[in-house]
Amino acid sequence: MGKNFCDLLRGLKPVILLLVVQAALAGVIVFYKLAVIDGMSMRVLIAYRFIFAAACAIPLAFILERESKAKLTWKVVFQGFLLGLFGGALAPNFFIASLSLTSATFTTAMSNLVPIATFILAVILRMERLGIRTLEGQAKFVGTFLSIGGAMILTFYKGQEINLWSTNINLAKHGGDHVSRKHAVVGNQVLGSLLALANCVSFAIWYIILAKMGENYPFMYSTTALMCITASIQATIYSIIAERNCILGSVMIIIGVYVVLWGKTKEKKTSAQLAALAERSKESEAVDVVIQDTDTNQSCDTGKAISS
């Protein structure tokens, strides 16, 4: 009985881990939405996200895969660059932009189109066969159109609000007129949907490149580290371009701090050098006095010897 239960848990381990990851992503999306409402720059946040991810992934890749025999060729580096571009720089920014124009529920629901977009691209690139004459192929074809239809309903249809239970908790404290907010939501819905679709396409391309890269470079941690490095560089450049005023002010502050620190360090070195020179000057004066006293004593002794 115990052995069967352990085998069951071992078989359910991937499912449990997947549920944990999805729950964590749901929490991240909610916090993203709250940060957007509070006016935080998501471009800068994404850049920091991949910088810290690279800082965590590089040691893991070095420790766990340091004995790997696969060579890091220019092809692998280019594939890592594309992974960072589509999965790091483009997709998260599309997602955050869609999130700021719509809602967390809508953007998350639209992200379910990622498998459909991946399947369509795989069929176009001849990486997978549709097999429309088979039952499996027909099921994939019908499922694709059902998913696209559901996305269109989410985009263009606004039904009545359903309140399953009432609560007074409001993490996102909105202000202003309700009618003006309603018109703004209607106007941003289509643009937010297009951005959510762009996020799905970017992630689909990312999955395809990841699958191709895994054929030549099957090292998970090294691939993740390479993607995070390239994504951090690209996201930082994009945030500098898009948030140039904010970044310019931050850079000026940092430069000013380092200039002040350099000036203080230079001042301390100069003070130390002046103190050393003053000490040496005192020592040299003391030596001169001793030498003069010695010469005077010797002259007196010589005069006494001559007179005697």
Side-chain angles (χ1 to χ4, degrees), residues 9-23:
L9 288 179
R10 192 176 297 108
L12 292 176
K13 186 185 296 183
V15 179
I16 295 173
L17 292 176
L18 182 61
L19 291 176
V20 172
V21 171
Q22 292 299 320

Side-chain angles (χ1 to χ4, degrees), residues 12-85:
L12 292 176
K13 186 185 296 183
V15 179
I16 295 173
L17 292 176
L18 182 61
L19 291 176
V20 172
V21 171
Q22 292 299 320
L25 287 176
V28 169
I29 292 171
V30 172
F31 283 116
Y32 272 165
K33 183 63 178 179
L34 295 176
V36 168
I37 293 173
D38 288 338
M40 184 176 183
S41 174
M42 291 294 101
R43 302 179 185 92
V44 178
L45 176 62
I46 291 172
Y48 279 128
R49 166 188 170 184
F50 283 104
I51 289 173
F52 285 112
C56 295
I58 291 173
L60 288 176
F62 179 76
I63 294 172
L64 300 177
E65 295 178 347
R66 59 184 175 184
E67 297 180 357
S68 61
K69 297 181 180 180
K71 294 182 179 180
L72 192 65
T73 61
W74 285 109
K75 180 180 179 180
V76 174
V77 173
F78 180 68
Q79 289 175 336
F81 172 82
L82 294 179
L83 288 178
L85 177 63

Side-chain angles (χ1 to χ4, degrees), residues 4 19 23 27 33 50 55 84 93 104 156 169 171 249 251 258 263 300:
N4 294 332
L19 291 176
K33 183 63 178 179
F50 283 104
N93 281 289
F156 297 106
I169 299 175
L171 296 178
V251 170
Y258 278 104
C300 294

Side-chain angles (χ1 to χ4, degrees), residues 47-273:
Y48 279 128
R49 166 188 170 184
F50 283 104
I51 289 173
F52 285 112
C56 295
I58 291 173
L60 288 176
F62 179 76
I63 294 172
L64 300 177
E65 295 178 347
R66 59 184 175 184
E67 297 180 357
S68 61
K69 297 181 180 180
K71 294 182 179 180
L72 192 65
T73 61
W74 285 109
K75 180 180 179 180
V76 174
V77 173
F78 180 68
Q79 289 175 336
F81 172 82
L82 294 179
L83 288 178
L85 177 63
F86 289 101
L90 292 179
N93 281 289
F94 285 142
F95 183 87
I96 294 298
S98 174
L99 187 66
S100 63
L101 295 175
T102 57
S103 65
T105 303
F106 175 84
T107 310
T108 306
M110 288 290 289
S111 65
N112 291 323
L113 286 176
V114 173
I116 304 301
T118 307
F119 172 70
I120 294 174
L121 289 177
V123 172
I124 293 174
L125 297 174
R126 299 180 181 272
M127 297 177 63
E128 187 170 339
R129 297 180 61 183
L130 179 59
I132 193 63
R133 296 183 179 180
T134 63
L135 182 61
E136 295 83 0
Q138 294 173 359
K140 290 187 288 187
F141 184 78
V142 173
T144 300
F145 274 92
L146 284 175
S147 299
I148 294 174
M152 294 179 67
I153 291 174
L154 280 174
T155 303
F156 297 106
Y157 178 73
K158 294 293 291 184
Q160 295 294 326
E161 184 179 357
I162 300 175
N163 293 319
L164 297 180
W165 59 81
S166 61
T167 177
N168 294 324
I169 299 175
N170 185 14
L171 296 178
K173 296 181 180 180
H174 299 284
D177 184 48
H178 174 72
V179 177
S180 62
R181 291 203 310 268
K182 183 176 180 180
H183 287 295
V185 169
V186 173
N188 293 333
Q189 190 74 17
V190 176
L191 179 58
S193 302
L194 293 176
L195 291 170
L197 182 61
N199 165 63
C200 296
V201 173
S202 297
F203 266 124
I205 297 173
W206 179 78
Y207 277 120
I208 291 175
I209 297 173
L210 184 63
K212 297 296 292 184
M213 184 176 178
E215 297 175 357
N216 302 322
Y217 195 73
F219 300 101
M220 177 179 61
Y221 295 102
S222 299
T223 301
T224 304
L226 182 60
M227 187 202 77
C228 291
I229 292 172
T230 56
S232 62
I233 296 173
Q234 295 163 6
T236 301
I237 294 174
Y238 175 68
S239 64
I240 291 174
I241 295 173
E243 305 285 344
R244 54 184 178 273
N245 293 331
C246 176
I247 298 297
L248 180 60
S250 301
V251 170
M252 290 178 64
I253 292 173
I254 294 172
I255 291 175
V257 170
Y258 278 104
V259 169
V260 172
L261 292 176
W262 179 83
K264 293 295 291 182
T265 305
K266 191 71 174 177
E267 183 181 4
K268 288 182 179 180
K269 289 183 178 180
T270 303
S271 300
Q273 290 176 355

